[in-house]
Amino acid sequence: MIKRLLWVSMFFLMPFLVYGQDEGVFWKITGNGLREPSYLFGTIHLICMEDYHLSDEVVKKIQKADALILEVDMDDPWLALSMMAKMHNEGGEEITDYLTEEEYQETRRLLKERTGTDIEMLKSMRPLMLMSLIYPSLLECETKAYENELLKHAKEKNKEIYGLESIDEQLSIFDRIPLEEQYRSFYEYTGNLEKGKKEFRRLIETYKNEEIALLVKMVSESPEYRDYQDILLDQRNRNWIRPMREFMEKGSVFFAVGAGHLGGKSGIIQLLKSEGYELKRIPTGRPSVANSHSDPPIN
C-alpha cells in the first residue's frame, strides 16, 4: 500500500510543458570536468507487466555506477512512516467539505463498486491518497514499477541509494494546490474512469516509443494541473540540478526520474546542457509501437 501511494504521488508529479527537445529516455552524461560518465534514465512510475522493458545495457550501467539516485530514497527505512504521517489532511479537512452530499455519495458508490473500499471512514484522507485506491481497477493488469526494479538491481551489487528530494518535500508540493481543486479533480476522475483507462494506455504507448515531447503534451492537457506547472515541474527540476552536480562530481552515478522530467526548456536534459554537460542518447533496445502518435483524441 505504501509503495502504491508513492507511485501515485510520483505519477501525478509528471511535468506539463511542451518544448522542442531530443527524444529518448536513456542518456549518458559527460563533460564539464567529470572524471567518469553518469547516466540519466526516464521512467514511468506504473506500467503493466506486459509493457515493462529494461534492457541489459541499462542494468549494466546501474551495476557499474557508484550509486543509484531516485527522486526519493526508496531504501530509506523511515519512508513508510513518513508516508503514513502524510496520509490525512493536516487540518482535518474532509472530502465532504468540498463535495455536495450527492457528489460524495456518488463517488463513494463508484469506489466501492470498483475497489471494494468504502471511503466513509477515510473522509480526511488526502486526495492523492484516495487516488491510490483507484489504480488497480484503472490499470486492470499486473503492474511493475521501474524504480522498484532499478532498486533491486542496485542492491544486488550493494550500491548506495539516494534521493534528489525527501518524501516530505515531494508530498508537500500538493499543499500548494487548493484542496477544493484537488477533491474536485478526484470527483471528476472517478466519474469517468473509462476515459482514465484510455488516457493511461496512450501514456504507456507514448513512453514505449520514447516520445518525450508527446508524453509531456498529453499530460499538459490535464486541466486540473495546467495552472501549477511551475510548482509541479520547473521548480523541482531546477532544485535537482545542484545535488545532481554534486553526486556526479564524486563519481559515476545512475539517475532515474519520471520520463517527463527530461523534456522542455526547464527539463533535466536542457538544464544539464546549460550547465555545460554533454548528453548523448543511448538506445534502450525496445521495439517502437507504430503510430502511437496518431491515436484519435480522447473526449
Side-chain angles (χ1 to χ4, degrees):
M1 177 65 174
I2 294 300
K3 286 187 177 180
R4 188 194 304 165
L5 295 176
L6 184 56
W7 305 145
V8 173
S9 73
M10 290 192 289
F11 176 80
F12 276 93
L13 285 170
M14 294 193 71
F16 312 115
L17 177 65
V18 182
Y19 186 83
Q21 75 271 324
D22 297 321
E23 302 286 23
V25 300
F26 190 29
W27 298 81
K28 179 180 180 180
I29 308 170
T30 58
N32 202 20
L34 294 182
R35 298 190 305 271
E36 302 176 78
S38 286
Y39 299 89
L40 174 63
F41 182 68
T43 71
I44 185 169
H45 301 306
L46 287 172
I47 194 168
C48 292
M49 193 172 295
E50 65 192 47
D51 297 306
Y52 173 81
H53 172 78
L54 194 67
S55 71
D56 292 340
E57 185 68 12
V58 173
V59 174
K60 184 171 80 171
K61 298 305 184 187
I62 296 170
Q63 295 181 339
K64 287 185 65 177
D66 298 323
L68 171 65
I69 318 296
L70 304 171
E71 292 183 26
V72 296
D73 181 359
M74 295 178 57
D75 198 38
D76 183 351
W78 297 100
L79 182 63
L81 287 176
S82 296
M83 290 291 291
M84 292 293 290
K86 291 283 187 178
M87 288 185 67
H88 295 273
N89 297 315
E90 292 184 1
E93 298 91 344
E94 298 184 346
I95 187 172
T96 48
D97 295 331
Y98 302 98
L99 301 184
T100 67
E101 179 63 20
E102 181 180 355
E103 290 171 337
Y104 168 69
Q105 292 300 338
E106 178 186 358
T107 301
R108 180 185 177 190
R109 175 182 59 79
L110 285 170
L111 283 177
K112 195 167 186 179
E113 289 176 355
R114 299 299 293 267
T115 71
T117 300
D118 189 344
I119 63 170
E120 180 65 19
M121 302 301 292
L122 305 174
K123 289 182 179 180
S124 66
M125 183 174 281
R126 296 172 59 151
L128 175 68
M129 304 306 180
L130 289 174
M131 279 297 301
S132 70
L133 302 175
I134 295 177
Y135 270 89
S137 63
L138 182 65
L139 297 178
E140 293 185 330
C141 63
E142 291 294 321
T143 62
K144 297 192 88 167
Y146 274 97
E147 286 79 7
N148 200 36
E149 299 304 312
L150 298 174
L151 188 65
K152 290 178 182 177
H153 288 294
K155 294 180 76 171
E156 284 177 3
K157 297 295 184 179
N158 298 313
K159 303 298 180 180
E160 295 290 338
I161 314 295
Y162 300 103
L164 292 171
E165 61 190 5
S166 70
I167 190 62
D168 286 346
E169 289 172 330
Q170 188 172 95
L171 294 180
S172 67
I173 293 169
F174 291 94
D175 295 337
R176 301 169 67 182
I177 301 177
L179 271 177
E180 182 175 3
E181 294 186 27
Q182 293 187 56
Y183 278 120
R184 179 58 50 185
S185 295
F186 174 69
Y187 166 71
E188 294 173 356
Y189 200 90
T190 56
N192 198 349
L193 291 181
E194 290 304 314
K195 178 182 177 182
K197 289 180 185 179
K198 293 177 181 178
E199 290 176 338
F200 199 86
R201 186 69 247 171
R202 287 184 62 205
L203 187 72
I204 289 175
E205 299 306 308
T206 303
Y207 174 77
K208 288 165 65 176
N209 271 349
E210 302 188 31
E211 297 175 300
I212 303 304
L214 179 57
L215 185 150
V216 177
K217 181 179 184 297
M218 289 169 56
V219 183
S220 73
E221 294 169 351
S222 175
E224 60 267 32
Y225 295 126
R226 186 175 297 144
D227 297 330
Y228 301 101
Q229 172 189 304
D230 190 59
I231 295 173
L232 297 170
L233 169 63
D234 295 351
Q235 291 182 16
R236 296 176 69 220
N237 287 348
R238 289 192 294 267
N239 290 342
W240 288 352
I241 295 303
R242 186 175 72 175
M244 290 180 75
R245 180 173 61 247
E246 293 173 351
F247 281 125
M248 289 189 290
E249 289 173 351
K250 295 176 182 178
S252 177
V253 294
F254 190 103
F255 298 104
V257 300
H261 284 284
L262 306 188
K265 66 179 181 181
S266 296
I268 297 299
I269 292 174
Q270 291 298 325
L271 291 175
L272 287 175
K273 286 182 177 180
S274 68
E275 291 281 316
Y277 296 101
E278 298 175 8
L279 281 87
K280 179 180 179 181
R281 181 181 179 181
I282 303 176
T284 61
R286 180 199 289 275
S288 64
V289 182
N291 299 323
S292 70
H293 58 281
S294 62
D295 289 345
I298 297 172
N299 299 317

